[in-house]
Amino acid sequence: MNILVTGGTGYIGSLTSLRLLEAGHRPVLLDNLCNSHPAVLDRIATLGGSRPQFVQGDVRDRALLERVLAEAQIDAVIHFAALKAVGESVAQPLAYYDNNVNGTLALLHAMQTVGVRNLVFSSSATVYGAAEQMPLYEDAPLSATNPYGQSKLMVEHMLADLAVADPRWSLTALRYFNPVGAHPSGLMGEHPQGVPNNLMPYIAQVAVGQRASLRVFGNTYPTPDGTGVRDFIHVMDLADGHLAALQHGVGRPGLHVFNLGSGQGHSVLEVLAAFGQACGKNLPFDIVPPRPGDVASSWADPRRAREMLGWHTTRSLADMCADTWRWQSTHPQGYSV
Ligand code: NAD
Ligand code: UD1
């Protein structure tokens, strides 16, 4: 299939594009490069055997989208393009609603005009809000605790309404838990700009000596060791999940919602210890007060994806740490060098 991948040079989009190539699809990547580097295209070419078509542009540019959808004879779209930093979304809500909600609206309009009605959308476990009942299953109540989460929820509502209004659409929302890791070659991975907000990139920067020590946000949560527990998912498992969702969704009308997680939680201290094993160092940490808005625990009920997509995670926490370390230690500045 010809697949338009918005946000295709980003962390998850680039690795999913590589998997699409490897599976015999033709990905067309569209990205405005606001949070990614074009050098990733060379890496996809090296690992995937051919260089995907790349369009530098914005998902809010409806005319551009219509042209690309038509000219490349796109069969389905995987929509990654979005802003994703929770703290930034609180400071700049309009930028988040514009990129994430308006961007998706423009994309859906363009798809409707051209007659492409297969979409896979990057949602997030953040749509479960501050839920306390674990595991999280797809029918659990939804809410948002910040503008980023609200933007994902708004898009999910848009997709649900569209599925009701026009039964020709196949719309799949994938709720990712905590994506981490890198390509096992160490050639592709995540390089956040500035100080990392998320746990694994922060630990990786401590391991290469770019940051002094990990600040552990709270150790009095009701969890086995008192630190936060999350469902970490290897980005290559996540990429495989997109292939499975595409295979399931294309030509199957309706709204399809899946958790993509392992179903298993790991604490902050467990992740730190596993990373220490991977890099062969004892990594320093300090306990600091909890981060506002954090929940104690979050992990998926992954059964629906297993039963309906035939997909489940296969990579362990040790794999996630080893692959992140391989990438971080060889690319401390990401794709810039
Ligand atoms: P990323 O920032 O690495 O990738 C997103 C890409 O979209 C970037 O390359 C950026 O340049 C591009 N982009 C942003 N706005 C755009 C616009 N208006 N037009 C064109 N391109 C634009 O992020 P990622 O981690 O790969 O996340 C991909 C998707 O998955 C996002 O929708 C994100 O919200 C969602 N998600 C990510 C996580 C995570 O932890 N990484 C968790 C849950 C959901
Ligand atoms: C965060 C976002 C969530 C988003 C997800 C993407 C918040 C409140 N939530 O989730 O919306 O979908 O990223 O993966 O930002 N931790 C530390 N020290 C650090 C960083 C994190 O102790 O320097 C702890 C956190 O308190 C948490 C765990 O590590 O217990 C995981 O944090 P993080 O990687 O930021 O992910 P989430 O908070 O789950």
Side-chain angles (χ1 to χ4, degrees):
M1 288 187 286
N2 298 328
I3 317 287
L4 176 64
V5 184
T6 76
T9 48
Y11 171 46
I12 306 170
S14 60
L15 287 158
T16 302
S17 296
L18 172 62
R19 290 293 295 118
L20 289 170
L21 269 179
E22 289 170 345
H25 298 296
R26 282 175 302 277
V28 175
L29 281 54
L30 182 137
D31 202 298
N32 67 3
L33 301 177
C34 72
N35 196 36
S36 51
H37 199 290
V40 74
L41 295 162
D42 299 329
R43 305 295 168 92
I44 298 175
T46 302
L47 294 168
S50 70
R51 196 182 166 88
Q53 187 187 334
F54 174 62
V55 179
Q56 184 171 349
D58 199 294
V59 281
R60 291 164 293 182
D61 184 345
R62 199 167 141 183
L64 171 69
L65 291 172
E66 285 175 13
R67 203 167 63 237
V68 173
L69 288 166
E71 282 175 4
Q73 297 181 8
I74 295 298
D75 299 297
V77 178
I78 309 183
H79 180 37
F80 293 102
L83 302 180
K84 63 162 183 175
V86 171
E88 188 182 64
S89 81
V90 176
Q92 300 172 33
L94 299 185
Y96 274 70
Y97 291 123
D98 192 26
N99 269 273
N100 299 4
V101 181
N102 275 345
T104 307
L105 202 52
L107 173 64
L108 290 169
H109 272 302
M111 290 174 71
Q112 189 163 45
T113 302
V114 179
V116 180
R117 293 190 185 82
N118 295 299
L119 177 79
V120 175
F121 169 66
S122 297
S123 189
S124 166
T126 192
V127 298
Y128 295 116
E132 282 176 7
Q133 287 269 349
M134 295 299 137
L136 293 159
Y137 60 98
E138 287 86 349
D139 297 328
L142 304 181
S143 68
T145 55
N146 54 66
Y148 168 70
Q150 194 67 260
S151 74
K152 292 291 173 189
L153 207 48
M154 286 166 83
V155 171
E156 285 210 16
H157 289 313
M158 273 164 34
L159 301 185
D161 291 342
L162 183 56
V164 170
D166 185 344
R168 290 172 299 177
W169 282 86
S170 166
L171 300 156
T172 303
L174 300 179
R175 294 180 185 154
Y176 313 157
F177 277 68
N178 289 61
V180 297
H183 190 271
S185 65
L187 288 176
M188 291 173 66
E190 180 181 22
H191 184 68
Q193 293 173 2
V195 181
N197 298 308
N198 297 119
L199 180 66
M200 186 70 95
Y202 201 104
I203 292 179
Q205 293 195 3
V206 173
V208 286
Q210 289 172 328
R211 311 230 166 249
S213 77
L214 174 71
R215 290 167 309 148
V216 174
F217 296 139
N219 68 346
T220 56
Y221 285 112
T223 61
D225 66 17
T227 65
V229 167
R230 296 292 184 274
D231 185 339
F232 297 94
I233 171 172
H234 195 299
V235 66
M236 300 312 299
D237 277 332
L238 195 58
D240 289 340
H242 287 78
L243 257 72
L246 207 56
Q247 213 156 20
H248 171 270
V250 169
R252 190 186 302 248
L255 175 69
H256 314 287
V257 179
F258 297 101
N259 284 339
L260 294 186
S262 71
Q264 205 193 341
H266 290 290
S267 75
V268 172
L269 291 180
E270 268 183 86
V271 176
L272 188 68
F275 208 98
Q277 285 276 323
C279 69
K281 298 176 200 173
N282 263 333
L283 299 174
F285 68 94
D286 304 294
I287 306 289
V288 301
R291 183 170 63 179
D294 272 0
V295 291
S297 302
S298 162
W299 69 88
D301 180 334
R303 279 176 301 178
R304 187 187 283 180
R306 182 186 275 272
E307 284 161 17
M308 296 181 67
L309 304 180
W311 170 91
H312 59 93
T313 60
T314 60
R315 284 118 175 141
S316 65
L317 179 62
D319 297 328
M320 301 176 209
C321 294
D323 293 337
T324 304
W325 173 240
R326 203 170 292 114
W327 157 254
Q328 183 74 35
S329 54
T330 53
H331 298 81
Q333 306 304 329
Y335 293 106
S336 324
V337 270

